[in-house]
PDB file of all heavy atoms in Angstrom:
ATOM      1  N   LEU F   1      -4.180   4.236 -12.382  1.00  0.00           N
ATOM      2  CA  LEU F   1      -4.944   3.860 -11.139  1.00  0.00           C
ATOM      3  C   LEU F   1      -4.070   2.967 -10.179  1.00  0.00           C
ATOM      4  O   LEU F   1      -3.839   3.223  -8.952  1.00  0.00           O
ATOM      5  CB  LEU F   1      -6.192   3.317 -11.360  1.00  0.00           C
ATOM      6  CG  LEU F   1      -7.245   4.130 -12.035  1.00  0.00           C
ATOM      7  CD1 LEU F   1      -8.515   3.429 -12.396  1.00  0.00           C
ATOM      8  CD2 LEU F   1      -7.543   5.233 -11.068  1.00  0.00           C
ATOM      9  N   TYR F   2      -3.431   1.858 -10.793  1.00  0.00           N
ATOM     10  CA  TYR F   2      -2.611   1.065 -10.059  1.00  0.00           C
ATOM     11  C   TYR F   2      -1.216   1.640  -9.688  1.00  0.00           C
ATOM     12  O   TYR F   2      -0.739   1.355  -8.541  1.00  0.00           O
ATOM     13  CB  TYR F   2      -2.351  -0.237 -10.822  1.00  0.00           C
ATOM     14  CG  TYR F   2      -3.357  -1.285 -10.702  1.00  0.00           C
ATOM     15  CD1 TYR F   2      -4.436  -1.377 -11.450  1.00  0.00           C
ATOM     16  CD2 TYR F   2      -3.276  -2.440  -9.724  1.00  0.00           C
ATOM     17  CE1 TYR F   2      -5.533  -2.267 -11.466  1.00  0.00           C
ATOM     18  CE2 TYR F   2      -4.228  -3.329  -9.666  1.00  0.00           C
ATOM     19  CZ  TYR F   2      -5.392  -3.356 -10.427  1.00  0.00           C
ATOM     20  OH  TYR F   2      -6.419  -4.303 -10.330  1.00  0.00           O
ATOM     21  N   GLY F   3      -0.784   2.477 -10.494  1.00  0.00           N
ATOM     22  CA  GLY F   3       0.472   3.115 -10.113  1.00  0.00           C
ATOM     23  C   GLY F   3       0.316   4.165  -8.843  1.00  0.00           C
ATOM     24  O   GLY F   3       1.236   4.396  -8.219  1.00  0.00           O
ATOM     25  N   MET F   4      -0.969   4.875  -8.754  1.00  0.00           N
ATOM     26  CA  MET F   4      -1.101   5.737  -7.729  1.00  0.00           C
ATOM     27  C   MET F   4      -1.098   4.991  -6.421  1.00  0.00           C
ATOM     28  O   MET F   4      -0.743   5.417  -5.378  1.00  0.00           O
ATOM     29  CB  MET F   4      -2.445   6.236  -7.913  1.00  0.00           C
ATOM     30  CG  MET F   4      -2.353   7.433  -8.912  1.00  0.00           C
ATOM     31  SD  MET F   4      -3.889   8.608  -8.915  1.00  0.00           S
ATOM     32  CE  MET F   4      -5.260   7.319  -9.121  1.00  0.00           C
ATOM     33  N   ARG F   5      -1.448   3.692  -6.399  1.00  0.00           N
ATOM     34  CA  ARG F   5      -1.418   2.865  -5.187  1.00  0.00           C
ATOM     35  C   ARG F   5      -0.072   2.749  -4.596  1.00  0.00           C
ATOM     36  O   ARG F   5       0.187   2.959  -3.491  1.00  0.00           O
ATOM     37  CB  ARG F   5      -2.052   1.492  -5.348  1.00  0.00           C
ATOM     38  CG  ARG F   5      -3.481   1.511  -5.718  1.00  0.00           C
ATOM     39  CD  ARG F   5      -4.072   0.127  -6.289  1.00  0.00           C
ATOM     40  NE  ARG F   5      -3.805  -0.940  -5.275  1.00  0.00           N
ATOM     41  CZ  ARG F   5      -4.716  -1.362  -4.436  1.00  0.00           C
ATOM     42  NH1 ARG F   5      -5.775  -0.566  -4.338  1.00  0.00           N
ATOM     43  NH2 ARG F   5      -4.427  -2.200  -3.485  1.00  0.00           N
ATOM     44  N   THR F   6       0.947   2.438  -5.532  1.00  0.00           N
ATOM     45  CA  THR F   6       2.327   2.420  -5.069  1.00  0.00           C
ATOM     46  C   THR F   6       2.809   3.633  -4.690  1.00  0.00           C
ATOM     47  O   THR F   6       3.515   3.668  -3.647  1.00  0.00           O
ATOM     48  CB  THR F   6       3.195   1.739  -6.294  1.00  0.00           C
ATOM     49  OG1 THR F   6       2.531   0.491  -6.549  1.00  0.00           O
ATOM     50  CG2 THR F   6       4.583   1.533  -5.960  1.00  0.00           C
ATOM     51  N   SER F   7       2.557   4.745  -5.532  1.00  0.00           N
ATOM     52  CA  SER F   7       3.137   6.008  -5.070  1.00  0.00           C
ATOM     53  C   SER F   7       2.664   6.497  -3.776  1.00  0.00           C
ATOM     54  O   SER F   7       3.430   7.016  -3.010  1.00  0.00           O
ATOM     55  CB  SER F   7       2.731   7.072  -6.273  1.00  0.00           C
ATOM     56  OG  SER F   7       3.406   6.704  -7.496  1.00  0.00           O
ATOM     57  N   LEU F   8       1.364   6.411  -3.511  1.00  0.00           N
ATOM     58  CA  LEU F   8       0.791   6.902  -2.324  1.00  0.00           C
ATOM     59  C   LEU F   8       1.258   6.125  -1.103  1.00  0.00           C
ATOM     60  O   LEU F   8       1.539   6.585  -0.029  1.00  0.00           O
ATOM     61  CB  LEU F   8      -0.809   6.787  -2.387  1.00  0.00           C
ATOM     62  CG  LEU F   8      -1.461   7.853  -3.256  1.00  0.00           C
ATOM     63  CD1 LEU F   8      -2.917   7.630  -3.299  1.00  0.00           C
ATOM     64  CD2 LEU F   8      -1.122   9.222  -2.699  1.00  0.00           C
ATOM     65  N   LEU F   9       1.477   4.711  -1.305  1.00  0.00           N
ATOM     66  CA  LEU F   9       1.948   3.869  -0.237  1.00  0.00           C
ATOM     67  C   LEU F   9       3.445   4.231   0.159  1.00  0.00           C
ATOM     68  O   LEU F   9       3.671   4.598   1.349  1.00  0.00           O
ATOM     69  CB  LEU F   9       1.900   2.320  -0.728  1.00  0.00           C
ATOM     70  CG  LEU F   9       2.498   1.408   0.272  1.00  0.00           C
ATOM     71  CD1 LEU F   9       1.982   1.401   1.634  1.00  0.00           C
ATOM     72  CD2 LEU F   9       2.688   0.065  -0.481  1.00  0.00           C
ATOM     73  N   VAL F  10       4.223   4.449  -0.927  1.00  0.00           N
ATOM     74  CA  VAL F  10       5.635   4.682  -0.725  1.00  0.00           C
ATOM     75  C   VAL F  10       5.713   6.079   0.043  1.00  0.00           C
ATOM     76  O   VAL F  10       6.465   6.321   0.937  1.00  0.00           O
ATOM     77  CB  VAL F  10       6.379   4.651  -1.899  1.00  0.00           C
ATOM     78  CG1 VAL F  10       7.908   5.292  -1.756  1.00  0.00           C
ATOM     79  CG2 VAL F  10       6.557   3.230  -2.552  1.00  0.00           C
ATOM     80  N   ALA F  11       5.085   7.036  -0.447  1.00  0.00           N
ATOM     81  CA  ALA F  11       5.171   8.481  -0.028  1.00  0.00           C
ATOM     82  C   ALA F  11       4.711   8.458   1.468  1.00  0.00           C
ATOM     83  O   ALA F  11       5.316   9.210   2.213  1.00  0.00           O
ATOM     84  CB  ALA F  11       4.415   9.286  -0.924  1.00  0.00           C
ATOM     85  N   THR F  12       3.494   7.898   1.713  1.00  0.00           N
ATOM     86  CA  THR F  12       2.821   8.058   2.984  1.00  0.00           C
ATOM     87  C   THR F  12       3.699   7.362   4.106  1.00  0.00           C
ATOM     88  O   THR F  12       3.993   7.919   5.173  1.00  0.00           O
ATOM     89  CB  THR F  12       1.501   7.483   3.034  1.00  0.00           C
ATOM     90  OG1 THR F  12       0.628   8.139   2.044  1.00  0.00           O
ATOM     91  CG2 THR F  12       0.787   7.668   4.412  1.00  0.00           C
ATOM     92  N   VAL F  13       4.091   6.101   3.772  1.00  0.00           N
ATOM     93  CA  VAL F  13       4.975   5.470   4.840  1.00  0.00           C
ATOM     94  C   VAL F  13       6.247   6.131   5.034  1.00  0.00           C
ATOM     95  O   VAL F  13       6.781   6.400   6.217  1.00  0.00           O
ATOM     96  CB  VAL F  13       5.194   3.985   4.356  1.00  0.00           C
ATOM     97  CG1 VAL F  13       6.194   3.308   5.326  1.00  0.00           C
ATOM     98  CG2 VAL F  13       3.834   3.244   4.237  1.00  0.00           C
ATOM     99  N   SER F  14       7.004   6.641   3.981  1.00  0.00           N
ATOM    100  CA  SER F  14       8.230   7.291   4.177  1.00  0.00           C
ATOM    101  C   SER F  14       8.217   8.629   4.839  1.00  0.00           C
ATOM    102  O   SER F  14       8.901   9.035   5.783  1.00  0.00           O
ATOM    103  CB  SER F  14       8.934   7.513   2.780  1.00  0.00           C
ATOM    104  OG  SER F  14       8.175   8.405   1.912  1.00  0.00           O
ATOM    105  N   VAL F  15       7.077   9.415   4.528  1.00  0.00           N
ATOM    106  CA  VAL F  15       6.935  10.635   5.279  1.00  0.00           C
ATOM    107  C   VAL F  15       6.572  10.369   6.785  1.00  0.00           C
ATOM    108  O   VAL F  15       7.101  11.225   7.654  1.00  0.00           O
ATOM    109  CB  VAL F  15       5.756  11.499   4.578  1.00  0.00           C
ATOM    110  CG1 VAL F  15       5.358  12.694   5.464  1.00  0.00           C
ATOM    111  CG2 VAL F  15       6.364  11.991   3.197  1.00  0.00           C
ATOM    112  N   LEU F  16       5.651   9.436   7.060  1.00  0.00           N
ATOM    113  CA  LEU F  16       5.264   9.289   8.345  1.00  0.00           C
ATOM    114  C   LEU F  16       6.602   8.810   9.234  1.00  0.00           C
ATOM    115  O   LEU F  16       6.740   9.364  10.400  1.00  0.00           O
ATOM    116  CB  LEU F  16       4.226   8.171   8.525  1.00  0.00           C
ATOM    117  CG  LEU F  16       2.798   8.582   8.133  1.00  0.00           C
ATOM    118  CD1 LEU F  16       1.923   7.390   8.138  1.00  0.00           C
ATOM    119  CD2 LEU F  16       2.319   9.812   8.931  1.00  0.00           C
ATOM    120  N   ALA F  17       7.324   7.911   8.779  1.00  0.00           N
ATOM    121  CA  ALA F  17       8.583   7.591   9.271  1.00  0.00           C
ATOM    122  C   ALA F  17       9.569   8.566   9.490  1.00  0.00           C
ATOM    123  O   ALA F  17      10.183   8.830  10.606  1.00  0.00           O
ATOM    124  CB  ALA F  17       9.273   6.314   8.547  1.00  0.00           C
ATOM    125  N   ALA F  18       9.773   9.488   8.556  1.00  0.00           N
ATOM    126  CA  ALA F  18      10.775  10.509   8.498  1.00  0.00           C
ATOM    127  C   ALA F  18      10.221  11.624   9.579  1.00  0.00           C
ATOM    128  O   ALA F  18      11.028  12.229  10.177  1.00  0.00           O
ATOM    129  CB  ALA F  18      10.855  11.168   7.075  1.00  0.00           C
ATOM    130  N   PHE F  19       8.911  11.830   9.624  1.00  0.00           N
ATOM    131  CA  PHE F  19       8.318  12.660  10.569  1.00  0.00           C
ATOM    132  C   PHE F  19       8.614  12.242  11.952  1.00  0.00           C
ATOM    133  O   PHE F  19       9.094  13.022  12.849  1.00  0.00           O
ATOM    134  CB  PHE F  19       6.796  12.672  10.412  1.00  0.00           C
ATOM    135  CG  PHE F  19       6.055  13.561  11.271  1.00  0.00           C
ATOM    136  CD1 PHE F  19       5.515  14.921  10.738  1.00  0.00           C
ATOM    137  CD2 PHE F  19       5.694  13.370  12.585  1.00  0.00           C
ATOM    138  CE1 PHE F  19       4.876  15.700  11.520  1.00  0.00           C
ATOM    139  CE2 PHE F  19       5.112  14.175  13.430  1.00  0.00           C
ATOM    140  CZ  PHE F  19       4.668  15.427  12.833  1.00  0.00           C
ATOM    141  N   GLY F  20       8.432  10.982  12.220  1.00  0.00           N
ATOM    142  CA  GLY F  20       8.674  10.520  13.583  1.00  0.00           C
ATOM    143  C   GLY F  20      10.182  10.566  13.995  1.00  0.00           C
ATOM    144  O   GLY F  20      10.475  11.017  15.063  1.00  0.00           O
ATOM    145  N   ILE F  21      11.047  10.161  13.208  1.00  0.00           N
ATOM    146  CA  ILE F  21      12.474  10.196  13.386  1.00  0.00           C
ATOM    147  C   ILE F  21      13.011  11.604  13.448  1.00  0.00           C
ATOM    148  O   ILE F  21      13.600  12.002  14.506  1.00  0.00           O
ATOM    149  CB  ILE F  21      13.185   9.508  12.240  1.00  0.00           C
ATOM    150  CG1 ILE F  21      12.950   8.045  12.290  1.00  0.00           C
ATOM    151  CG2 ILE F  21      14.729   9.663  12.554  1.00  0.00           C
ATOM    152  CD1 ILE F  21      13.428   7.280  11.166  1.00  0.00           C
ATOM    153  N   GLY F  22      12.698  12.398  12.483  1.00  0.00           N
ATOM    154  CA  GLY F  22      13.091  13.875  12.567  1.00  0.00           C
ATOM    155  C   GLY F  22      12.528  14.668  13.664  1.00  0.00           C
ATOM    156  O   GLY F  22      13.211  15.417  14.331  1.00  0.00           O
ATOM    157  N   ALA F  23      11.164  14.483  13.916  1.00  0.00           N
ATOM    158  CA  ALA F  23      10.677  15.242  15.125  1.00  0.00           C
ATOM    159  C   ALA F  23      11.348  14.869  16.522  1.00  0.00           C
ATOM    160  O   ALA F  23      11.639  15.721  17.266  1.00  0.00           O
ATOM    161  CB  ALA F  23       9.098  15.012  15.180  1.00  0.00           C
ATOM    162  N   THR F  24      11.636  13.583  16.593  1.00  0.00           N
ATOM    163  CA  THR F  24      12.292  13.127  17.885  1.00  0.00           C
ATOM    164  C   THR F  24      13.602  13.733  17.875  1.00  0.00           C
ATOM    165  O   THR F  24      13.939  14.241  19.067  1.00  0.00           O
ATOM    166  CB  THR F  24      12.282  11.511  17.805  1.00  0.00           C
ATOM    167  OG1 THR F  24      10.933  11.042  17.736  1.00  0.00           O
ATOM    168  CG2 THR F  24      12.978  11.095  19.164  1.00  0.00           C
ATOM    169  N   VAL F  25      14.428  13.701  16.877  1.00  0.00           N
ATOM    170  CA  VAL F  25      15.717  14.246  16.995  1.00  0.00           C
ATOM    171  C   VAL F  25      15.753  15.671  17.277  1.00  0.00           C
ATOM    172  O   VAL F  25      16.512  16.255  18.105  1.00  0.00           O
ATOM    173  CB  VAL F  25      16.443  13.912  15.666  1.00  0.00           C
ATOM    174  CG1 VAL F  25      17.868  14.774  15.520  1.00  0.00           C
ATOM    175  CG2 VAL F  25      16.743  12.412  15.421  1.00  0.00           C
ATOM    176  N   GLY F  26      14.858  16.445  16.505  1.00  0.00           N
ATOM    177  CA  GLY F  26      14.761  17.954  16.807  1.00  0.00           C
ATOM    178  C   GLY F  26      14.427  18.236  18.146  1.00  0.00           C
ATOM    179  O   GLY F  26      14.882  19.230  18.799  1.00  0.00           O
ATOM    180  N   LEU F  27      13.506  17.502  18.799  1.00  0.00           N
ATOM    181  CA  LEU F  27      12.822  17.829  20.075  1.00  0.00           C
ATOM    182  C   LEU F  27      14.019  17.627  21.168  1.00  0.00           C
ATOM    183  O   LEU F  27      14.211  18.320  22.053  1.00  0.00           O
ATOM    184  CB  LEU F  27      11.719  16.890  20.274  1.00  0.00           C
ATOM    185  CG  LEU F  27      10.408  17.359  19.644  1.00  0.00           C
ATOM    186  CD1 LEU F  27       9.291  16.485  19.903  1.00  0.00           C
ATOM    187  CD2 LEU F  27       9.884  18.765  19.992  1.00  0.00           C
ATOM    188  N   ILE F  28      14.738  16.486  21.001  1.00  0.00           N
ATOM    189  CA  ILE F  28      15.743  16.077  21.967  1.00  0.00           C
ATOM    190  C   ILE F  28      16.885  17.176  21.816  1.00  0.00           C
ATOM    191  O   ILE F  28      17.423  17.621  22.854  1.00  0.00           O
ATOM    192  CB  ILE F  28      16.299  14.598  21.551  1.00  0.00           C
ATOM    193  CG1 ILE F  28      15.326  13.552  21.846  1.00  0.00           C
ATOM    194  CG2 ILE F  28      17.607  14.468  22.363  1.00  0.00           C
ATOM    195  CD1 ILE F  28      15.653  12.159  21.521  1.00  0.00           C
TER     196      ILE F  28
END
């Protein structure tokens, strides 16, 4: 249960940031 907190935090933050950077680069 505690491990899921870390995994979800790392995955969610990294995917959102990668989404923003990658989408911006692709659109430009």
Side-chain angles (χ1 to χ4, degrees):
L1 292 175
Y2 273 85
M4 285 194 300
R5 294 167 61 88
T6 303
S7 295
L8 290 175
L9 172 65
V10 171
T12 302
V13 173
S14 64
V15 169
L16 289 177
F19 183 102
I21 297 173
T24 301
V25 171
L27 291 174
I28 292 175

